[in-house]
Amino acid sequence: MTDKLMHNQFVIFLITIFISANLISYSLGNYDYNKFIYAVVFLIIYLNTRKIKISLISFIYFLVTIFISILSVINFDFEVTKSYVFYFLFFSFFSFIVLSKAINFDLFFISMSYILSLSLPILLYNVYTHDYDIGILLGISYSMLPNFIASLYVLINSKNLVNQFVAAITVIISSYFFITRGNRGVVLCILIFFLLKILYKDKYSTGLRFFLTGVFGAVIFAVMSNISKVFFFLKDVLSYLHIEIYAIDKTLNLIIENQNLDSGRMFLFEKITSDIDGVKDILFGRGIGYFESINGVYTHNLFAQYFIEGGVIYLILPLFIVSIYLIKLFKMKNDKSNQENVYFFFIVSVFIPLMLSNVYWVSPLYWFSVNYILLSISRKKLTIVL
């Protein structure tokens, strides 16, 4: 993005507070505090900005989502429908406001890193002194992930020794949590981050990136075909080194007990297909909040949720966004604007987690990333003073 007007450090700090609201709430011991953080921080950002920026393509994206939302409220109105629609409107408006000026992502990552460093002492005290169930540990893991990735960027790229030192301590302590209590999906996201950094270096040509992607895909296929042997081998190596990793132990227990490694994801996908009845459902879905209201659990997958809620027509939206990110990655070469890091951050912190867990409606970082990428491909943008 080439906007000359940029947010000052104070506003960037507020933006990262807003995005880190779940992490801060978990640290304070009550997840519901995030609503208070959202409200207060949003008000301050609005008073400091008082403008929004949109483009034709982001406006169309917004209108399509509004259209699906209105249909769901009128025709279905499930228990969570209005709540999801409210979060969509709220977080979209937040992103329109904060993207009215350019964002210095170097400062953004530094602020995210410091928020995690300040949250960790209380957060880990609560984790290791309370018997949290797997659901809360999952929520904590995913709430830490964006700040952890940001800390990695600061550690790798920052030229300020103090920032690097804080980031290093934050990464080490967070890694201990991920090893001993972390969710398997979050560990996978972190591994994917390092693979992306290796596979898509900005000096690589597009052809080389395609080749490396093919090689990586073949390796993944080979690993998945022998997943049991791979995990037993890893366990033997780690046991020799006297290291225990919670995610690996959990996976091995599932293998030994002859259970599915997907933690019920395939069952959820089968449930989605069985809930689709006829061409109308395929095209227009069953309504926002349908799956949660009927089955008592969310889909644990971004694309599956879009499809069950709005059908093939609605599914086009996330497919379009992900395709833009992939095209950007393959075409990015010798980039001096640091955009590659931003794309990596959104892919690993937003889109991959949403393919494994969580609900996109209630993710401020999701709507922020969507509007960011849509503005980045728009030639003409409209700024409206409020």
Side-chain angles (χ1 to χ4, degrees):
M1 300 179 71
T2 59
D3 306 75
K4 294 182 180 180
L5 293 176
M6 300 189 72
H7 285 297
N8 58 41
Q9 294 184 24
F10 175 65
V11 174
I12 290 179
F13 176 69
L14 291 174
I15 293 170
T16 55
I17 287 286
F18 190 96
I19 290 172
S20 305
N22 289 345
L23 170 63
I24 297 170
S25 298
Y26 277 121
S27 300
L28 297 176
N30 190 331
Y31 180 77
D32 290 333
Y33 288 163
N34 63 357
K35 299 177 179 63
F36 175 77
I37 296 172
Y38 287 144
V40 173
V41 175
F42 175 82
L43 179 61
I44 300 174
I45 291 176
Y46 170 77
L47 293 175
N48 278 270
T49 307
R50 292 184 177 275
K51 61 177 65 175
I52 63 173
K53 178 174 288 185
I54 59 173
S55 65
L56 177 60
I57 192 169
S58 62
F59 184 65
I60 292 173
Y61 195 101
F62 180 81
L63 281 183
V64 173
T65 309
I66 282 289
F67 175 72
I68 297 294
S69 300
I70 293 174
L71 288 180
S72 295
V73 171
I74 294 175
N75 297 327
F76 305 105
D77 196 18
F78 296 110
E79 183 179 352
V80 297
T81 303
K82 292 179 180 177
S83 174
Y84 282 175
V85 173
F86 170 79
Y87 276 116
F88 154 66
L89 294 172
F90 182 55
F91 292 148
S92 294
F93 194 51
F94 162 79
S95 65
F96 291 152
I97 290 176
V98 300
L99 292 172
S100 64
K101 295 181 181 179
I103 293 176
N104 184 330
F105 274 94
D106 289 333
L107 291 177
F108 178 91
F109 291 144
I110 291 170
S111 181
M112 292 282 284
S113 177
Y114 272 95
I115 289 173
L116 179 57
S117 68
L118 293 174
S119 301
L120 276 176
I122 303 175
L123 182 65
L124 296 187
Y125 173 81
N126 289 335
V127 167
Y128 291 103
T129 58
H130 293 77
D131 188 20
Y132 284 153
D133 62 33
I134 191 171
I136 295 178
L137 291 176
L138 181 146
I140 292 173
S141 297
Y142 279 113
S143 70
M144 290 174 59
L145 179 62
N147 301 70
F148 180 80
I149 298 299
S151 298
L152 288 174
Y153 275 124
V154 175
L155 179 60
I156 295 170
N157 299 320
S158 179
K159 297 179 181 179
N160 184 297
L161 292 179
V162 174
N163 291 339
Q164 282 188 311
F165 177 77
V166 172
I169 297 299
T170 302
V171 167
I172 291 171
I173 297 175
S174 299
S175 298
Y176 175 77
F177 166 78
F178 290 135
I179 289 173
T180 58
R181 293 288 193 277
N183 173 265
R184 290 180 299 162
V186 172
V187 174
L188 176 63
C189 289
I190 296 171
L191 293 176
I192 290 175
F193 166 79
F194 287 108
L195 287 171
L196 288 175
K197 293 291 289 182
I198 295 171
L199 293 177
Y200 298 102
K201 290 182 178 294
D202 59 1
K203 64 181 180 181
Y204 289 169
S205 66
T206 301
L208 180 57
R209 292 183 180 193
F210 274 112
F211 172 75
L212 291 175
T213 301
V215 172
F216 173 65
V219 172
I220 289 296
F221 178 78
V223 170
M224 295 304 296
S225 300
N226 300 274
I227 192 67
S228 298
K229 295 179 181 179
V230 170
F231 272 96
F232 277 112
F233 172 76
L234 288 175
K235 179 62 177 177
D236 289 340
V237 172
L238 292 173
S239 296
Y240 178 79
L241 298 173
H242 303 288
I243 299 174
E244 291 187 4
I245 298 180
Y246 173 76
I248 292 179
D249 290 342
K250 179 181 178 180
T251 302
L252 280 176
N253 288 334
L254 292 174
I255 293 174
I256 293 172
E257 295 173 4
N258 198 29
Q259 297 183 27
N260 291 329
L261 300 181
D262 61 7
S263 298
R265 267 44 169 204
M266 286 305 301
F267 170 78
L268 294 177
F269 292 153
E270 292 170 0
K271 186 63 179 173
I272 289 172
T273 57
S274 66
D275 285 352
I276 295 295
D277 183 21
V279 176
K280 181 180 178 182
D281 288 348
I282 293 175
L283 292 176
F284 300 105
R286 300 298 299 271
I288 296 170
Y290 165 82
F291 198 82
E292 293 91 320
S293 299
I294 300 301
N295 299 291
V297 62
Y298 55 90
T299 62
H300 287 267
N301 184 276
L302 174 70
F303 299 124
Q305 187 167 4
Y306 264 90
F307 177 66
I308 193 66
E309 290 179 339
V312 173
I313 294 176
Y314 193 42
L315 180 60
I316 292 173
L317 297 184
L319 290 174
F320 176 65
I321 295 296
V322 171
S323 66
I324 295 174
Y325 274 110
L326 293 177
I327 291 171
K328 291 278 189 180
L329 282 182
F330 278 108
K331 289 187 174 182
M332 191 69 64
K333 185 180 179 182
N334 296 326
D335 175 55
K336 297 180 180 180
S337 62
N338 207 29
Q339 289 300 296
E340 184 180 76
N341 289 338
V342 178
Y343 299 147
F344 284 162
F345 173 76
F346 284 141
I347 289 172
V348 176
S349 300
V350 181
F351 289 96
I352 294 177
L354 285 175
M355 293 178 193
L356 302 172
S357 187
N358 300 329
V359 177
Y360 70 93
W361 290 103
V362 298
S363 170
L365 196 53
Y366 172 73
W367 297 110
F368 176 71
S369 65
V370 165
N371 285 292
Y372 178 85
I373 198 67
L374 290 177
L375 284 175
S376 73
I377 63 171
S378 303
R379 293 184 178 180
K380 294 184 178 181
K381 306 160 191 175
L382 176 65
T383 299
I384 302 173
V385 179
L386 303 173

